[in-house]
Amino acid sequence: MDMTTIAGLITGIIVVTLAIMTGSDLSIFINLPGFLIVVGGTFAATLVKFPLTTVWTALTVGLRAVFVNEADDPRLLINQAIKFVKLVRSEGVKALEKVPVQNSFFKKGIQLCADGNDKEFTQEMLTREMNLTIQRQEISAKVFSAIGESAPAFGMFGTIVGLVQMLSQMEDPSKIGQGMAIALLTTLYGVLIAQIAALPMSAKLLAKAHQERDNRSLIIESLKHIHDRTNPSMMLDSLESYLPEKQRLGDAKGRHPRRRATDWK
Amino acid sequence: MDMTTIAGLITGIIVVTLAIMTGSDLSIFINLPGFLIVVGGTFAATLVKFPLTTVWTALTVGLRAVFVNEADDPRLLINQAIKFVKLVRSEGVKALEKVPVQNSFFKKGIQLCADGNDKEFTQEMLTREMNLTIQRQEISAKVFSAIGESAPAFGMFGTIVGLVQMLSQMEDPSKIGQGMAIALLTTLYGVLIAQIAALPMSAKLLAKAHQERDNRSLIIESLKHIHDRTNPSMMLDSLESYLPEKQRLGDAKGRHPRRRATDWK
Amino acid sequence: MDMTTIAGLITGIIVVTLAIMTGSDLSIFINLPGFLIVVGGTFAATLVKFPLTTVWTALTVGLRAVFVNEADDPRLLINQAIKFVKLVRSEGVKALEKVPVQNSFFKKGIQLCADGNDKEFTQEMLTREMNLTIQRQEISAKVFSAIGESAPAFGMFGTIVGLVQMLSQMEDPSKIGQGMAIALLTTLYGVLIAQIAALPMSAKLLAKAHQERDNRSLIIESLKHIHDRTNPSMMLDSLESYLPEKQRLGDAKGRHPRRRATDWK
Amino acid sequence: MDMTTIAGLITGIIVVTLAIMTGSDLSIFINLPGFLIVVGGTFAATLVKFPLTTVWTALTVGLRAVFVNEADDPRLLINQAIKFVKLVRSEGVKALEKVPVQNSFFKKGIQLCADGNDKEFTQEMLTREMNLTIQRQEISAKVFSAIGESAPAFGMFGTIVGLVQMLSQMEDPSKIGQGMAIALLTTLYGVLIAQIAALPMSAKLLAKAHQERDNRSLIIESLKHIHDRTNPSMMLDSLESYLPEKQRLGDAKGRHPRRRATDWK
Amino acid sequence: MDMTTIAGLITGIIVVTLAIMTGSDLSIFINLPGFLIVVGGTFAATLVKFPLTTVWTALTVGLRAVFVNEADDPRLLINQAIKFVKLVRSEGVKALEKVPVQNSFFKKGIQLCADGNDKEFTQEMLTREMNLTIQRQEISAKVFSAIGESAPAFGMFGTIVGLVQMLSQMEDPSKIGQGMAIALLTTLYGVLIAQIAALPMSAKLLAKAHQERDNRSLIIESLKHIHDRTNPSMMLDSLESYLPEKQRLGDAKGRHPRRRATDWK
């Protein structure tokens, strides 16, 4: 589970609830018709904006990605890659056929390698696959950011509807309050949907897509070295540029224990 | 038909109508002069913004694309491509002359291939054609997004006109209500035109243009393999990167039944 | 003449005038000092923003491009190119010296070709010339969009000035109306200048610059084929990707009559 | 001096002053504390936003560039380049050592050429220098546009402060006017600083950076021709693509007198 | 320490405090619940927007970078590079093993060089490392700009909450003031957090990332020359394009004393 997403959402709800309850009863902020205007209008606009499969993917695969941490630790990927290159250097490329690989993208690459495909074919195919996958994830992020743009607009729409109704019924002053309430509440709902859920989720999806892209670049780079049977310590040097400086083996301040170069023998 | 576009528009209209009718009569939201200000101003600005053919294309070809699903299923394109490469491997490139191809872009590519043109020429020509087509579709999307920008601006224009009229006739308080009504209603019309129709349609057009681009990239890639007489199972591997992971044959969770590699013999 | 620009501007003025006159006299919307604030401020900002020659070019060459249709029909360019390649194939490159060419860019290219310059030099030089010309047109478009950004800002400035004056003279209630009038009118002027004239003209300039770029790319592509003495029907196939699908000879639905391949003999 | 910048600023100040004085005394628009809030806040934010050297460069080199015209006339650069290539063709590359060159970038290039450096080295070095210089100028433009973003924000901040003070002292109605005055005046100051000075100056800096880039591209291109000892009339043809069509020698409408090709002998 | 960041923040706080205290007591601007709404909501949204490690990195490494000047003076890097190339020219590449290098990126490059790696490998590896590091710094900048977007939105949210509460309790006029106060204060807090801290810090981080990128490009360029054993004075010429014109040795106005070419012997 991605605890930050969940913690963020819970914090947001608590903050909003407390914010309201310090000044008044929570009930005056609940207005079902107003809520339906914002949600319904946003839903309608989203259906027009994207093909159904895109919306569906965003709401299933996308939402799952927002709440679950799936990215592998790049440190582990590097360790595996080093192990593989040592295997290939000692036993040849065929030895890769039997090794277990968790990451499905890495697995596919290792398979292509073990099947004896040449380096250019493997690189080109994996790069295209990486780009197309990232593209699909970015489209999901776009669905959420589109929701985050529509919600405040329909909130404003609800507010204007309420104002018009209030203004046209000014003979009856008792309804002024009610009209203003709907008016402002829809704006409130729109802002909240956009600022607490839709836009942040879009940002998280993008952040994870970029994390995934970095991991896959690392894997593609690893496979190039495996093809070239690069010297493991040189390969480690090269792959560690994918890690922040603090996490590199060569840096004593890293979270990972310092392993000496001789470990790679 | 693109049911999501239609469903979205109908949902939008229902939501808006209900939103209004829970608080008042629908009639107080109808104001023909205000509506004409917004639509007429937006129409005028659009004519100045684009050449006539561009506007015309957007309103005919573009609108059609918004309401009709024309993109081929990439899975079917892959299946066809596999069939073609097997044909070429067994009977030579001339055999492609007789095969029926639905997709007009694929047809053109197969024709170029069957005519014996060399790989580079085919690739370059199809790539340019793809890019220019996508460019034309993006221009249609731009027309709709321009409408979506003008409509709220002319809504605001109408609102200010109404306010000025109201303020300059304040001796007659009975007209205040009427002036405010026109004022706010034009803003309402502008927001609705932009948020329910123009901007979402622009987004859908873009989404379909990108779908089409992906399909055409897939076709161009297929033709490269057909030229190279690639091994069909390797070609399948390569082309499936254009599908989301779930739909690949190699994935048991896919919507499409798992075919075994031996099927391709 | 570019009838859409003119029709758009006239439509805009009619819509605005009618919008105003349904509710009041036109005279209450006329305020010379307010108008001068918006126009003067925008003019001042534009002078600071751009070098004088840029502003001058935008207001002369740019405005002319907005109101006049100068782009050649790509279909005619293709026909000419086909004629030229046939000439070169039968009589050699020297024959190009005598052919009449309307389009000045095409003329320059044909001249370079007839002078016996090699393909790379011609391509490089024409491509650079195309890019620099488009760049100059885009700068003119930028001047208009800068005007479209300044005008509403100075409209808002005028509004605030009016509000401050009104607020500081509240002892004399008879001046409240006058102050509010100037205030709102400047905003109105700013919105109109931006939405009816400046921003749409900027968009039209950009659209025409892109049309010109497409035509010039087509010409550059044609000259490549003329240099290569490509087979005319193959060249036609290749160049038609610059046309929308409907207008291609190979498409029976096109506006242009279907010519058979044998016509090119 | 760049007369347009100065003319623009003076026009702006006159327009603003007249705008105010038609409706009231100028003195009610002067509020020192409000002015200090906007200027002080903007200054503080700018210090946090950029390193001190960047701010300093923007306020010295940048401001100088806004008020002074330093770009050379491209026509003169072309004439010089033609003269140089003729010199090299007749007397060899060493002859360049003695020629006087005003433009410091051109001078450096000619020096590199005269020193016998090879073409690739010269091209690469000058191109990098050009890009890095443009980058530095764009950063100065960014400082001004950052000021143009902060000023209205601090104007709005001052307005809210004034409103809160006014609202919390409503028992004393005599202070309402004063509070509202500060409130709106800071917004006014913010808008003016941004719209008359900061944003336009940022635009002018960018425009001049692009002019400089075009000139330097022209010089780099010239040096390529000088290295290649290109035929002068061919070189003229090639370099004139850097001029707008009207100013080319081949165009009778140009500002520069038509020189005949024989002049170049 | 980065004195401009600190000076900017202090100036900002002083300006804001004075701005408030000229018109009223500071205490009426303090509202803890309102402050918690803005900070809490922004914090919640930020947690949803980014993975925890990203937020953590931004708040530790990022904040440190905002307040500390770590970038080396490019002039010193150039001097070192010149020293190294002279060493390599006289004593060979092995001599680099013993030289002390402060800058960790330069150190890594020199190490790769001394180890006898070939030029392409060194260049590719350092370039990738540079790009990935810059990317990580840009992500930290994005966290701050996300905070700068959320804060005003939650400020506005608090304002609407306050308005709704005030409107629904209008029977009790004594609470109107209090409601309006919270309402406007949250907007004030949001604007201040964004305009004084979050957005400027994001800008500073970006500026420093770009400074770092320029330094690293300079180092990569230096290593290319060291590999090529370029003539030191030619190398100096080439590297000085990384300095603003004024600071070059060839320019008498520079801050650094003019050294004559003979110094490099």
Side-chain angles (χ1 to χ4, degrees):
Chain A
M1 296 297 288
D2 183 335
M3 295 315 292
T4 33
T5 302
I6 294 164
L9 287 177
I10 291 176
T11 311
I13 291 166
I14 291 175
V15 166
V16 167
T17 313
L18 288 183
I20 285 169
M21 283 171 43
T22 54
S24 70
D25 202 46
L26 193 63
S27 65
I28 64 167
F29 285 89
I30 294 171
N31 178 292
L32 198 62
F35 187 71
L36 291 180
I37 290 175
V38 178
V39 171
T42 303
F43 179 66
T46 307
L47 282 188
V48 181
K49 274 178 186 169
F50 299 97
L52 189 57
T53 52
T54 306
V55 179
W56 185 246
T57 305
L59 293 182
T60 53
V61 184
L63 261 189
R64 194 165 173 276
V66 168
F67 283 103
V68 179
N69 266 331
E70 282 173 325
D72 286 304
D73 182 350
R75 161 61 58 200
L76 297 180
L77 294 174
I78 293 179
N79 289 350
Q80 256 187 319
I82 297 286
K83 226 171 58 196
F84 293 159
V85 85
K86 286 194 278 184
L87 193 70
V88 168
R89 282 163 68 100
S90 62
E91 299 177 36
V93 92
K94 284 288 169 204
L96 289 176
E97 265 171 19
K98 295 160 289 182
V99 298
V101 197
Q102 278 241 287
N103 184 300
S104 69
F105 186 76
F106 206 172
K107 192 175 193 172
K108 185 169 187 177
I110 288 295
Q111 202 54 50
L112 283 168
C113 207
D115 289 356
N117 290 295
D118 69 346
K119 190 170 133 187
E120 277 68 33
F121 176 81
T122 311
Q123 294 285 312
E124 192 196 317
M125 190 168 153
L126 291 177
T127 304
R128 198 180 52 231
E129 163 127 21
M130 176 179 77
N131 290 336
L132 287 164
T133 307
I134 300 307
Q135 225 176 71
R136 277 190 287 270
Q137 296 177 337
E138 286 175 342
I139 289 177
S140 284
K142 234 183 243 174
V143 172
F144 282 100
S145 81
I147 291 174
E149 280 164 27
S150 285
F154 283 98
M156 188 188 132
F157 162 74
T159 297
I160 303 176
V161 167
L163 284 176
V164 170
Q165 290 174 338
M166 191 196 74
L167 286 167
S168 64
Q169 297 163 345
M170 278 207 300
E171 321 85 53
D172 179 359
S174 72
K175 285 193 175 166
I176 289 184
Q178 189 195 327
M180 282 293 279
I182 296 185
L184 285 176
L185 286 180
T186 53
T187 294
L188 201 68
Y189 298 152
V191 170
L192 278 186
I193 290 172
Q195 295 291 334
I196 296 235
L199 295 179
M201 281 176 181
S202 171
K204 178 82 102 197
L205 261 180
L206 266 191
K208 291 201 169 170
H210 292 166
Q211 240 175 17
E212 186 66 29
R213 189 194 55 205
D214 288 352
N215 272 357
R216 294 197 168 190
S217 301
L218 168 60
I219 289 171
I220 291 175
E221 179 76 15
S222 300
L223 287 164
K224 206 164 73 187
H225 287 300
I226 292 173
H227 260 113
D228 290 349
R229 303 175 180 218
T230 312
N231 173 286
S233 86
M234 221 165 121
M235 178 170 161
L236 179 68
D237 258 18
S238 171
L239 293 182
E240 281 200 320
S241 58
Y242 285 94
L243 300 178
E245 240 159 283
K246 282 201 172 178
Q247 289 173 26
R248 296 185 194 163
L249 294 186
D251 183 339
K253 288 178 292 181
R255 298 190 305 191
H256 300 272
R258 172 97 176 93
R259 283 208 246 170
R260 262 169 300 133
T262 49
D263 289 352
W264 300 119
K265 268 189 307 198
Chain B
M1 296 297 288
D2 183 334
M3 295 315 293
T4 32
T5 303
I6 294 163
L9 287 178
I10 292 175
T11 310
I13 291 166
I14 292 175
V15 165
V16 167
T17 313
L18 287 183
I20 286 170
M21 283 171 42
T22 54
S24 71
D25 203 46
L26 194 61
S27 64
I28 63 169
F29 284 89
I30 293 171
N31 178 293
L32 198 61
F35 187 71
L36 291 179
I37 290 175
V38 178
V39 170
T42 304
F43 179 67
T46 307
L47 282 187
V48 182
K49 274 178 185 168
F50 300 98
L52 189 58
T53 53
T54 306
V55 179
W56 184 247
T57 305
L59 293 182
T60 53
V61 183
L63 262 190
R64 194 165 173 276
V66 168
F67 283 104
V68 178
N69 266 331
E70 283 173 323
D72 287 304
D73 182 351
R75 163 60 59 197
L76 297 180
L77 294 174
I78 293 180
N79 289 350
Q80 256 186 321
I82 298 286
K83 225 171 59 195
F84 293 159
V85 86
K86 287 195 279 185
L87 193 69
V88 168
R89 283 163 68 100
S90 61
E91 300 177 36
V93 94
K94 284 288 169 205
L96 289 176
E97 264 171 20
K98 295 159 290 182
V99 298
V101 197
Q102 278 240 285
N103 184 299
S104 69
F105 187 76
F106 206 171
K107 193 173 190 172
K108 185 169 188 177
I110 287 294
Q111 202 54 51
L112 284 168
C113 207
D115 289 354
N117 291 295
D118 70 346
K119 191 170 133 187
E120 278 68 34
F121 175 82
T122 310
Q123 294 285 311
E124 192 195 316
M125 189 168 155
L126 292 177
T127 304
R128 198 180 54 232
E129 163 129 19
M130 176 179 77
N131 290 337
L132 287 164
T133 307
I134 301 305
Q135 225 177 71
R136 277 190 287 269
Q137 296 177 336
E138 286 175 343
I139 289 177
S140 284
K142 234 183 242 173
V143 172
F144 281 100
S145 81
I147 291 174
E149 279 164 28
S150 285
F154 283 98
M156 189 188 132
F157 162 75
T159 298
I160 303 176
V161 167
L163 284 176
V164 170
Q165 289 174 337
M166 191 195 75
L167 286 167
S168 64
Q169 296 163 344
M170 279 206 301
E171 322 85 55
D172 179 358
S174 71
K175 284 193 176 167
I176 288 184
Q178 190 195 326
M180 282 294 279
I182 296 184
L184 285 176
L185 285 181
T186 53
T187 295
L188 201 69
Y189 298 152
V191 170
L192 278 185
I193 290 171
Q195 295 291 334
I196 296 234
L199 295 180
M201 281 176 181
S202 172
K204 178 83 102 197
L205 260 181
L206 266 191
K208 291 200 169 171
H210 292 166
Q211 239 176 17
E212 187 67 27
R213 190 194 54 206
D214 287 352
N215 272 356
R216 294 197 169 191
S217 300
L218 169 60
I219 288 170
I220 290 175
E221 179 76 16
S222 299
L223 287 165
K224 206 164 73 187
H225 286 301
I226 291 173
H227 260 112
D228 290 348
R229 302 175 182 219
T230 312
N231 173 286
S233 86
M234 222 164 120
M235 178 171 162
L236 179 68
D237 258 18
S238 171
L239 294 181
E240 282 200 320
S241 58
Y242 286 94
L243 299 177
E245 241 160 281
K246 283 203 172 175
Q247 290 173 27
R248 296 185 193 162
L249 294 186
D251 183 339
K253 287 179 295 183
R255 298 191 306 191
H256 299 272
R258 171 100 176 93
R259 285 209 245 169
R260 263 169 300 134
T262 49
D263 290 353
W264 300 119
K265 271 189 307 195
Chain C
M1 297 297 288
D2 183 334
M3 295 314 293
T4 33
T5 302
I6 295 163
L9 287 177
I10 292 175
T11 311
I13 291 166
I14 292 175
V15 165
V16 166
T17 314
L18 288 183
I20 285 170
M21 284 171 42
T22 54
S24 71
D25 203 46
L26 193 62
S27 65
I28 64 168
F29 284 89
I30 293 171
N31 179 292
L32 197 62
F35 186 72
L36 291 180
I37 290 176
V38 178
V39 171
T42 303
F43 179 66
T46 306
L47 282 187
V48 183
K49 275 179 186 169
F50 300 97
L52 189 58
T53 53
T54 306
V55 178
W56 185 247
T57 306
L59 293 183
T60 52
V61 184
L63 262 190
R64 194 166 173 275
V66 167
F67 283 105
V68 179
N69 266 331
E70 283 172 324
D72 286 305
D73 182 350
R75 161 61 58 198
L76 296 180
L77 295 174
I78 293 180
N79 288 350
Q80 256 186 322
I82 297 286
K83 225 170 60 195
F84 293 158
V85 85
K86 286 195 279 185
L87 193 70
V88 168
R89 283 163 67 99
S90 61
E91 300 177 35
V93 93
K94 284 287 169 204
L96 289 176
E97 265 171 19
K98 296 158 292 181
V99 298
V101 197
Q102 278 241 288
N103 184 299
S104 69
F105 186 77
F106 206 172
K107 192 173 191 171
K108 185 170 188 177
I110 286 296
Q111 201 54 50
L112 284 167
C113 207
D115 289 355
N117 291 294
D118 70 346
K119 191 171 133 187
E120 279 67 34
F121 176 81
T122 310
Q123 294 284 312
E124 193 194 317
M125 189 169 153
L126 292 177
T127 303
R128 197 179 54 232
E129 163 129 21
M130 175 179 77
N131 291 335
L132 287 165
T133 307
I134 301 306
Q135 225 175 71
R136 276 191 287 270
Q137 296 177 334
E138 287 175 343
I139 289 177
S140 283
K142 235 183 242 173
V143 172
F144 282 100
S145 80
I147 292 175
E149 279 164 28
S150 284
F154 283 98
M156 189 187 131
F157 162 75
T159 298
I160 303 177
V161 167
L163 285 176
V164 170
Q165 290 174 336
M166 191 197 75
L167 286 167
S168 65
Q169 297 163 342
M170 278 207 299
E171 322 84 54
D172 180 357
S174 71
K175 283 193 177 167
I176 288 184
Q178 190 196 325
M180 281 295 278
I182 296 184
L184 286 175
L185 286 180
T186 53
T187 295
L188 200 69
Y189 299 152
V191 170
L192 278 185
I193 290 171
Q195 295 292 334
I196 296 234
L199 295 179
M201 280 176 182
S202 172
K204 178 82 101 194
L205 261 180
L206 265 191
K208 290 198 170 172
H210 292 167
Q211 238 175 17
E212 187 66 28
R213 190 194 55 205
D214 287 352
N215 271 358
R216 294 195 169 191
S217 301
L218 169 60
I219 288 170
I220 291 175
E221 179 76 17
S222 300
L223 287 164
K224 207 164 73 187
H225 287 300
I226 291 173
H227 259 112
D228 291 347
R229 304 177 180 215
T230 312
N231 173 286
S233 85
M234 223 164 119
M235 178 172 163
L236 179 68
D237 258 17
S238 172
L239 294 181
E240 282 201 320
S241 57
Y242 285 94
L243 300 177
E245 241 160 280
K246 282 202 172 175
Q247 289 172 27
R248 295 185 193 162
L249 295 187
D251 183 337
K253 288 179 293 180
R255 297 191 306 192
H256 299 272
R258 171 97 175 95
R259 283 209 245 168
R260 263 169 300 134
T262 50
D263 290 352
W264 301 117
K265 273 189 304 196
Chain D
M1 296 298 288
D2 183 335
M3 296 313 294
T4 32
T5 302
I6 294 163
L9 287 177
I10 292 176
T11 311
I13 291 165
I14 292 175
V15 166
V16 167
T17 313
L18 288 184
I20 286 170
M21 284 173 40
T22 55
S24 71
D25 203 45
L26 194 61
S27 66
I28 64 167
F29 284 89
I30 294 171
N31 179 293
L32 197 64
F35 187 71
L36 291 179
I37 290 176
V38 177
V39 171
T42 303
F43 179 66
T46 306
L47 282 188
V48 182
K49 275 178 186 169
F50 299 98
L52 189 57
T53 52
T54 305
V55 179
W56 185 246
T57 306
L59 293 182
T60 53
V61 184
L63 261 191
R64 193 165 174 276
V66 167
F67 284 103
V68 179
N69 266 331
E70 282 172 325
D72 287 305
D73 183 349
R75 161 61 59 199
L76 298 180
L77 294 174
I78 293 180
N79 288 351
Q80 256 186 323
I82 297 286
K83 224 170 59 194
F84 293 159
V85 86
K86 286 193 279 183
L87 193 69
V88 169
R89 282 163 69 99
S90 61
E91 300 178 34
V93 92
K94 283 289 168 204
L96 289 175
E97 265 171 19
K98 296 158 290 183
V99 299
V101 197
Q102 278 241 286
N103 184 300
S104 70
F105 187 77
F106 206 172
K107 193 175 191 171
K108 185 170 188 178
I110 287 295
Q111 201 55 51
L112 284 167
C113 207
D115 288 355
N117 291 294
D118 69 347
K119 190 171 135 188
E120 278 67 34
F121 176 80
T122 311
Q123 294 285 313
E124 192 194 317
M125 189 168 152
L126 292 177
T127 303
R128 196 179 56 232
E129 164 128 19
M130 175 179 78
N131 291 335
L132 288 164
T133 307
I134 300 306
Q135 226 176 71
R136 277 189 288 269
Q137 296 177 335
E138 286 175 343
I139 289 177
S140 283
K142 235 183 241 173
V143 172
F144 282 100
S145 80
I147 291 175
E149 280 164 28
S150 284
F154 283 98
M156 188 188 131
F157 161 74
T159 298
I160 303 177
V161 167
L163 285 176
V164 169
Q165 290 175 336
M166 190 197 75
L167 286 167
S168 64
Q169 297 162 343
M170 279 207 300
E171 321 85 54
D172 180 357
S174 71
K175 284 192 176 167
I176 288 184
Q178 189 196 328
M180 282 294 280
I182 295 184
L184 285 175
L185 285 181
T186 53
T187 295
L188 201 68
Y189 299 152
V191 170
L192 278 186
I193 291 171
Q195 295 291 333
I196 296 235
L199 295 179
M201 280 175 183
S202 171
K204 177 84 100 193
L205 260 180
L206 266 191
K208 290 198 172 172
H210 292 167
Q211 238 174 18
E212 186 67 27
R213 191 195 53 206
D214 288 352
N215 271 358
R216 294 198 169 190
S217 301
L218 169 60
I219 288 170
I220 291 176
E221 179 77 16
S222 299
L223 287 163
K224 207 165 73 186
H225 287 302
I226 291 172
H227 260 113
D228 291 348
R229 305 178 178 214
T230 312
N231 173 286
S233 85
M234 223 165 120
M235 179 171 162
L236 179 69
D237 257 18
S238 171
L239 293 181
E240 282 200 319
S241 57
Y242 286 94
L243 299 177
E245 241 159 281
K246 282 202 172 174
Q247 290 173 26
R248 297 186 193 162
L249 294 186
D251 184 338
K253 287 177 295 181
R255 297 190 307 190
H256 299 271
R258 172 96 176 95
R259 283 210 245 168
R260 262 168 302 133
T262 50
D263 290 351
W264 301 117
K265 271 189 305 196
Chain E
M1 295 298 287
D2 183 335
M3 295 314 293
T4 33
T5 302
I6 294 164
L9 287 177
I10 292 175
T11 311
I13 291 166
I14 292 175
V15 165
V16 167
T17 314
L18 288 183
I20 286 170
M21 284 171 43
T22 54
S24 71
D25 202 45
L26 194 61
S27 66
I28 64 168
F29 285 88
I30 293 171
N31 178 293
L32 197 64
F35 187 71
L36 291 180
I37 289 176
V38 177
V39 171
T42 303
F43 179 67
T46 306
L47 282 188
V48 181
K49 275 179 186 169
F50 300 98
L52 188 57
T53 52
T54 305
V55 179
W56 185 246
T57 306
L59 293 182
T60 52
V61 183
L63 262 190
R64 194 166 173 277
V66 167
F67 283 103
V68 179
N69 267 331
E70 284 173 323
D72 287 305
D73 182 349
R75 161 61 59 201
L76 297 181
L77 294 174
I78 293 179
N79 288 351
Q80 257 188 319
I82 297 285
K83 226 171 57 196
F84 293 159
V85 86
K86 285 194 277 185
L87 194 69
V88 168
R89 282 162 69 99
S90 61
E91 299 177 36
V93 93
K94 284 289 168 203
L96 289 175
E97 265 171 20
K98 297 159 288 183
V99 299
V101 197
Q102 278 241 285
N103 184 300
S104 69
F105 186 77
F106 206 171
K107 192 175 192 171
K108 186 170 188 178
I110 287 295
Q111 202 54 51
L112 283 167
C113 207
D115 289 355
N117 290 295
D118 70 346
K119 190 172 135 187
E120 278 68 33
F121 176 81
T122 311
Q123 295 284 313
E124 192 195 318
M125 190 167 152
L126 292 177
T127 303
R128 198 180 52 233
E129 163 128 20
M130 175 179 78
N131 290 336
L132 287 164
T133 307
I134 300 306
Q135 227 175 69
R136 277 190 287 270
Q137 296 177 336
E138 286 175 343
I139 290 177
S140 284
K142 235 183 242 173
V143 172
F144 282 100
S145 80
I147 292 175
E149 279 163 29
S150 285
F154 282 98
M156 188 188 132
F157 162 74
T159 298
I160 303 176
V161 167
L163 284 175
V164 170
Q165 290 175 337
M166 190 197 74
L167 286 167
S168 64
Q169 296 162 344
M170 278 207 300
E171 322 84 55
D172 180 358
S174 72
K175 285 193 175 165
I176 289 184
Q178 189 196 327
M180 282 294 280
I182 296 184
L184 285 175
L185 286 180
T186 53
T187 294
L188 201 68
Y189 298 152
V191 170
L192 278 185
I193 291 172
Q195 295 292 334
I196 295 234
L199 295 179
M201 282 176 181
S202 171
K204 178 83 102 194
L205 260 181
L206 266 190
K208 290 200 170 171
H210 292 166
Q211 240 175 15
E212 186 65 28
R213 190 195 53 204
D214 287 352
N215 272 356
R216 295 197 167 190
S217 300
L218 168 60
I219 289 171
I220 292 177
E221 180 75 16
S222 299
L223 287 164
K224 206 163 74 187
H225 287 300
I226 292 173
H227 259 114
D228 290 349
R229 305 178 178 215
T230 312
N231 172 286
S233 85
M234 222 165 120
M235 178 170 161
L236 179 68
D237 257 20
S238 171
L239 293 181
E240 282 201 319
S241 57
Y242 285 94
L243 299 177
E245 241 159 283
K246 283 201 171 176
Q247 289 173 27
R248 297 185 193 164
L249 294 185
D251 183 340
K253 287 178 294 180
R255 297 190 307 191
H256 299 271
R258 171 96 176 94
R259 282 209 248 169
R260 262 168 301 132
T262 49
D263 289 354
W264 301 118
K265 269 191 305 198

